[in-house]
Amino acid sequence: MYSSKEHGFFTISGNLATQYVQAVGWAMASAIKNDTKIAAAWIGDGSTAESDFHSALVFASTYKAPVILNIVNNQWAISTFQGIARGGSGTFAARGLGFGIPALRVDGNDYLAVYAVSLWATERARRNLGPTLIEYVTYRVGGHSSSDDPSAYRPKTESEAWPLGDPVLRLKKHLIVRGAWSEERHVQAEAEILDEVIQAQKEAETHGTLHAGGKPSVRDIFEGVYAEMPPHIRRQRQKAGY
Ligand SMILES: Cc1ncc(C[n+]2csc(CCOP(=O)(O)OP(=O)(O)O)c2C)c(N)n1
Ligand SMILES: [Mg+2]
């Protein structure tokens, strides 16, 4: 649950769909302050069935917030198929139209298409033309998390049968055909990226891991939410012995 004020990255909350209302509020605040900053938020297919998704769309359309609302439709919400979240009909993108919000549906495994629609939505927000909703059609090949076993709820061959392919391989092929990339360059890039990820992981681990200790104090979970801690939270902290 990280955030970085310095990079304009507002916190990711663990409660699904709250990110949408936060992003819309953040964008509204930016517009009210006459700032040029715009906001973007991402939500999963399953999470669009949360009421916060709809609240965010009401506020985004009513106040023409400079926000990009992205829906990553990866077909699954842990073990629940996306058809359940959209009531078995229509598309997720179509939900935007009822609110008067321009909505696009894009092949989420086509890097260039994703880039193009994101640029278009960014331009709209920057020109103060209001929000855009984008549905990215993609597929979650792996499990939801390291504790999830997809073979318990979907056919084992489903991921191989997914027609839109692997986005990295598609981009690679496209660039090689156009003469802008090569197999050798690809191998080199993969090694460079892997190295960067390992370095970042090592740096993160210097702040402590679950196994190695160095954990923050329990007291810290009570901090950083309220400017002045309300009495009931203070009592909880005391009960916890901190
Ligand atoms: C309000 C709320 N309910 C349930 C959860 C537990 N939970 C975490 S991820 C997840 C599934 C999300 O699926 P989806 O929205 O499709 O996103 P994806 O992980 O596929 O990108 C659930 C139910 C949660 N974090 N917050
Ligand atoms: Mg999903």
Side-chain angles (χ1 to χ4, degrees):
M1 309 306 159
Y2 39 88
S3 66
S4 172
K5 203 168 185 178
E6 193 191 342
H7 295 96
F9 196 97
F10 46 92
T11 185
I12 292 182
S13 318
N15 297 330
L16 298 174
T18 56
Q19 303 78 12
Y20 253 41
V21 274
Q22 289 162 358
V24 172
W26 197 96
M28 284 167 61
S30 176
I32 289 164
K33 283 192 286 188
N34 277 327
D35 202 333
T36 56
K37 292 195 185 96
I38 62 171
W42 284 261
I43 199 169
D45 43 278
S47 307
T48 62
E50 287 278 355
S51 55
D52 278 344
F53 170 78
H54 302 273
S55 303
L57 263 57
V58 170
F59 276 79
S61 61
T62 305
Y63 293 97
K64 287 209 167 6
V67 62
I68 305 163
L69 300 166
N70 302 284
I71 304 171
V72 180
N73 176 6
N74 65 2
Q75 311 303 316
W76 291 94
I78 313 188
S79 60
T80 311
F81 183 61
Q82 49 92 0
I84 295 172
R86 60 181 169 76
S89 63
T91 64
F92 291 104
R95 299 234 148 133
L97 304 179
F99 293 91
I101 297 177
L104 295 158
R105 191 166 191 254
V106 64
D107 173 354
N109 285 11
D110 180 339
Y111 177 87
L112 296 175
V114 166
Y115 184 68
V117 293
S118 306
L119 215 58
W120 188 79
T122 305
E123 195 57 32
R124 264 180 55 76
R126 291 229 162 97
R127 290 191 194 177
N128 243 340
L129 297 172
T132 308
L133 187 75
I134 307 172
E135 175 186 354
Y136 303 90
V137 179
T138 184
Y139 188 80
R140 192 200 75 206
V141 176
H144 172 77
S145 67
S146 53
S147 60
D148 177 37
D149 173 15
S151 71
Y153 54 81
R154 71 182 187 194
K156 286 191 178 66
T157 52
E158 193 191 80
S159 60
E160 289 153 35
W162 176 248
L164 299 180
D166 180 314
V168 177
L169 295 183
R170 280 177 65 183
L171 179 64
K172 174 187 159 190
K173 256 194 206 163
H174 176 76
L175 293 176
I176 290 177
V177 167
R178 295 191 51 131
W181 199 241
S182 67
E183 287 290 348
E184 300 72 49
R185 184 71 192 88
H186 194 80
V187 171
Q188 190 191 340
E190 272 183 337
E192 282 166 15
I193 293 162
L194 184 63
D195 192 50
E196 204 177 306
V197 171
I198 291 170
Q199 290 309 320
Q201 164 107 19
K202 280 192 178 146
E203 204 208 314
E205 286 179 355
T206 63
H207 300 285
T209 66
L210 282 177
H211 298 298
K215 284 176 274 179
S217 159
V218 170
R219 196 185 160 88
D220 292 353
I221 64 172
F222 296 93
E223 303 290 340
V225 176
Y226 297 98
E228 271 175 49
M229 195 178 287
H232 69 287
I233 302 283
R234 193 179 304 282
R235 275 198 300 278
Q236 276 184 14
R237 193 183 72 189
Q238 279 158 1
K239 256 192 184 169
Y242 290 88

